[in-house]
Amino acid sequence: MKYSIVLPLLATTVHAGPVVERRQAAACPAIPSTFPSTTNAKLPDPFKFFDGTAVTTKAQFDCKNKEVSAALQAQELGDFPKKPSSVTATFSGSSLSITSTEGGKSVSFSVSIKKPGGTGPFPAIIAYGAASIPVPAGVATITFNNDEIGAQQGGNSRGKGKFFDLYGSSHSAGATTAWAWGVDRIIDALEATSSVGIDPKRVGVTGCSRNGKGAFVAAALVNRIALGLPQESGSGGAACWRISDSEKAKGKNIQTSSQIVGENVWFSTRFNSFSTKSSTLATDHHQLAGLVVPRGLLVIENEIDWLGPGSTTACMKAGRLIYKAYGVPDNMGFTGSGNHNHCSFPSNQQTELTAFINKFLLNQDANTSGVEKGPGGTDPTQYIDWTAPTLT
Ligand SMILES: *[C@@H]1O[C@H](CO)[C@@H](O)[C@H](O)[C@H]1NC(C)=O
């Protein structure tokens, strides 16, 4: 693999507050069509291309992320389609109606937008189903009926929903990928329709539990999302498959890959063959966080066994090593808290939520450094046999 033709980086400032650069490497090596299948009980090295070449620069890491995305799609998520040939939108009252056309077929869906008073454009949070985090004044809420795009009523809903009406019921996408496609279209619509009054460069995404898995996948796949706020995503989101298997082996009542593929259609059928051997996956979910780099990410968790607080904490600590290597450790945090109901947001996570929203959506100075809250004694080093470099 050669890097002699990495062209100068195109760095653009996303918003005027804290500087978040979106870098685009002009030339990446070809993405392999097959991925390593060697058994590795440790978390895969996020700083090595699949052919073994070391990742030492940010530009190479951006290329590595293309490999990671391809591997995740090939093994877990199913294909994430590019923008349809036509996306149009109309805004009326509080409803943004979006029509996507591809291959002679069209589907339409609507999202409802609740805006703050005053003059926009406003930042916004796309909420799967309904927001179960407090959305502050000054930030709009875009309510997204993700179930309509990809049904999640158990195994029988495979291939159902508007995404599959457009691309065919046998499309490889799991529901989380179909929903991310919907988020991508919402941003298309916000970009194309300034009368909506939402700033498309300051859009976050949230969802809780199964929808938290979805919000995490959307933050990873849709690189126009400025802030990911997955809540209580557990396995399939903030947990690493390998660590969850290890926790299960220690007797925890924790969701794992072998369970999740039978419960619902959140993942592609491509995941089925890996579900009982997660240690052969080419990636793990520390790299799902890595795909969001350098954009904002606050992972909100709850200390409920099924969500795997030991797994989510260790996995996201590994994720923060990736942010740190890229030089933006403060752009990611994770916060775990116990003793509250599933998907009820506790007051002891408010400070970090406010800080991340202030910084990434409201363009304010805010301290997002060092947000690593989780159960004590969770140490990712036992799952890591690589060292994070300082990417140049
Ligand atoms: C930011 O927060 C971190 C972690 O809570 C703390 O250690 C640090 O002192 C804070 N920095 C400022 C400038 O307040």
Side-chain angles (χ1 to χ4, degrees):
M1 193 181 286
K2 289 215 174 69
Y3 284 93
S4 49
I5 49 162
V6 175
L7 299 176
L9 298 174
L10 179 70
T12 52
T13 301
V14 174
H15 52 70
V19 176
V20 178
E21 288 181 341
R22 283 188 188 164
R23 291 164 182 270
Q24 285 182 344
C28 286
I31 291 169
S33 52
T34 57
F35 303 97
S37 56
T38 42
T39 301
N40 176 11
K42 309 240 178 200
L43 300 179
D45 186 345
F47 306 107
K48 228 177 222 169
F49 286 96
F50 292 135
D51 75 356
T53 309
V55 173
T56 62
T57 69
K58 292 178 191 176
Q60 287 174 342
F61 181 80
D62 295 341
C63 290
K64 170 66 190 171
N65 260 347
K66 293 187 198 300
E67 271 196 0
V68 169
S69 180
L72 278 165
Q73 291 178 57
Q75 298 185 333
E76 286 185 36
L77 299 174
D79 293 338
F80 182 59
K82 62 180 170 39
K83 184 176 176 176
S85 47
S86 158
V87 179
T88 59
T90 55
F91 184 56
S92 171
S94 60
S95 177
L96 178 64
S97 175
I98 304 161
T99 299
S100 303
T101 304
E102 186 72 288
K105 280 194 213 164
S106 290
V107 294
S108 299
F109 68 97
S110 297
V111 292
S112 70
I113 304 185
K114 182 169 156 266
K115 284 197 281 187
T119 316
F122 300 102
I125 292 175
I126 297 171
Y128 281 34
S132 42
I133 54 167
V135 176
V139 178
T141 303
I142 301 177
T143 303
F144 172 43
N145 181 5
N146 53 305
D147 290 23
E148 178 188 36
I149 304 300
Q152 54 169 336
Q153 305 281 321
N156 290 338
S157 44
R158 175 73 63 194
K160 292 185 181 155
K162 290 187 175 179
F163 174 94
F164 299 98
D165 294 343
L166 187 62
Y167 291 105
S169 59
S170 58
H171 191 280
S172 60
T176 53
T177 306
W179 305 334
W181 174 90
V183 167
D184 216 13
R185 303 292 73 78
I186 294 169
I187 303 202
D188 288 341
L190 296 177
E191 284 182 349
T193 321
S194 61
S195 62
V196 183
I198 302 294
D199 179 355
K201 289 190 159 49
R202 292 186 291 147
V203 175
V205 64
T206 193
C208 191
S209 196
R210 54 182 57 195
N211 290 340
K213 305 180 200 307
F216 208 145
V217 169
L221 292 180
V222 183
N223 65 12
R224 289 177 291 175
I225 287 290
L227 176 62
L229 296 167
Q231 183 185 15
E232 303 190 31
S233 60
S235 292
C240 283
W241 300 118
R242 287 164 171 86
I243 304 178
S244 297
D245 279 345
S246 163
E247 294 272 297
K248 169 96 177 168
K250 289 179 205 149
K252 295 273 168 55
N253 176 32
I254 179 176
Q255 187 167 41
T256 60
S257 51
S258 59
Q259 186 278 338
I260 212 168
V261 295
E263 181 176 344
N264 219 312
V265 296
W266 298 312
F267 294 91
S268 173
T269 53
R270 292 173 182 171
F271 196 38
N272 293 354
S273 61
F274 291 95
S275 63
T276 54
K277 42 176 187 161
S278 68
S279 59
T280 63
L281 287 164
T283 65
D284 213 318
H285 278 210
H286 58 313
Q287 293 168 289
L288 193 66
L291 280 179
V292 191
V293 170
R295 294 169 289 123
L297 176 64
L298 178 66
V299 176
I300 302 159
E301 285 294 325
N302 191 347
E303 290 177 15
I304 292 173
D305 280 356
W306 189 247
L307 297 170
S311 180
T312 56
T313 303
C315 188
M316 292 299 102
K317 274 190 181 169
R320 273 197 94 240
L321 294 177
I322 305 176
Y323 269 78
K324 184 162 176 266
Y326 205 93
V328 288
D330 299 355
N331 290 6
M332 180 194 167
F334 62 85
T335 173
S337 168
N339 303 314
H340 62 93
N341 290 336
H342 188 41
C343 297
S344 74
F345 187 81
S347 58
N348 63 7
Q349 293 178 319
Q350 187 66 57
T351 303
E352 46 272 29
L353 177 63
T354 300
F356 272 82
I357 290 175
N358 284 353
K359 180 167 172 176
F360 291 98
L361 299 183
L362 287 165
N363 281 355
Q364 293 171 8
D365 282 333
N367 183 2
T368 57
S369 87
V371 179
E372 286 206 355
K373 281 161 69 171
T378 312
D379 179 6
T381 57
Q382 61 184 301
Y383 304 107
I384 295 176
D385 59 1
W386 37 265
T387 323
T390 299
L391 300 171
T392 54

